[in-house]
Amino acid sequence: DGGITQSPKYLFRKEGQNVTLSCEQNLNHDAMYWYRQDPGQGLRLIYYSQIVNDFQKGDIAEGYSVSREKKESFPLTVTSAQKNPTAFYLCASSIAAGRDTQYFGPGTRLTVL
Amino acid sequence: QKEVEQNSGPLSVPEGAIASLNCTYSDRGSQSFFWYRQYSGKSPELIMFIYSNGDKEDGRFTAQLNKASQYVSLLIRDSQPSDSATYLCAVGLTGGGNKLTFGTGTQLKVEL
């Protein structure tokens, strides 16, 4: 089955720790995205990548880092510099940059203890 | 200033009625428009997309785009309890490299 997978589904982090969220797609999509969703707010773009080995900051990149070493993988690291990391994190992909539709993975819910 | 605005609701409609969800956007150069449905605790799933002025129908769903007035709407005919969810409007901005800006969503409740 083609699709986007994210792991883990739930993640608990202690303050001061870095954690990495996984996002994998087997849709052969070039572009991948990371969003954050907080209650009562829309999705906000953290980072996006239009091609392997290249990525750009979104609207709220501070405290986050990404890599895009393979076409199918776009992991997100939430660093200790992110002051309020508790949120629902969503990964998406699209065929290419342009007007193409973005499809979402199931999400990772991160809670800071 | 928000770039994509939606009424947060909840919008309550009786089963079988037409639900009308609206979204306005601020960038006149916006080129692509999407509606996603999101059930509580789940990720968004695509309902429809529309690029050109006018109506686009898919089953019980109709998307309407009016670029002159800068609004896009989603009509759901014969609403079912399973349609109860939050509906997110997303807009692709000019030169955005496929970056989407999302509204905060409208919660729809379909009552028996």
Side-chain angles (χ1 to χ4, degrees), chain A residues 24-40:
Chain A
E24 304 274 335
Q25 55 95 2
N26 61 4
L27 301 168
N28 201 32
H29 285 176
D30 283 326
M32 298 186 73
Y33 312 81
W34 274 106
Y35 293 90
R36 167 183 174 142
Q37 187 176 35
D38 295 280

Side-chain angles (χ1 to χ4, degrees), chain A residues 1 3 6-8 12 19 27 30 34 49 54 59 61 65 77 92 111:
Chain A
D1 286 341
Q6 291 185 244
S7 62
F12 298 91
V19 292
L27 301 168
D30 283 326
W34 274 106
S49 168
D54 186 48
D59 300 320
S65 65
T77 296
T111 302

Side-chain angles (χ1 to χ4, degrees), chain B residues 95-110:
Chain B
N98 205 31
K99 288 166 56 179
L100 297 181
T101 298
F102 285 80
T104 54
T106 297
Q107 184 183 6
L108 173 66
K109 292 185 177 181
V110 180

Side-chain angles (χ1 to χ4, degrees), chain A residues 19-21 23 32-35 45-51 53-58 60-70 73-79 89-91:
Chain A
V19 292
T20 297
L21 284 58
C23 177
M32 298 186 73
Y33 312 81
W34 274 106
Y35 293 90
L45 183 64
I46 303 172
Y47 269 98
Y48 65 104
S49 168
Q50 299 181 14
I51 197 168
N53 293 322
D54 186 48
F55 49 84
Q56 288 80 39
K57 292 182 178 180
I60 55 165
E62 184 176 353
Y64 300 97
S65 65
V66 294
S67 62
R68 186 86 188 276
E69 297 176 0
K70 298 186 295 182
S73 179
F74 191 40
L76 173 74
T77 296
V78 184
T79 74
Y89 289 87
L90 291 157
C91 178

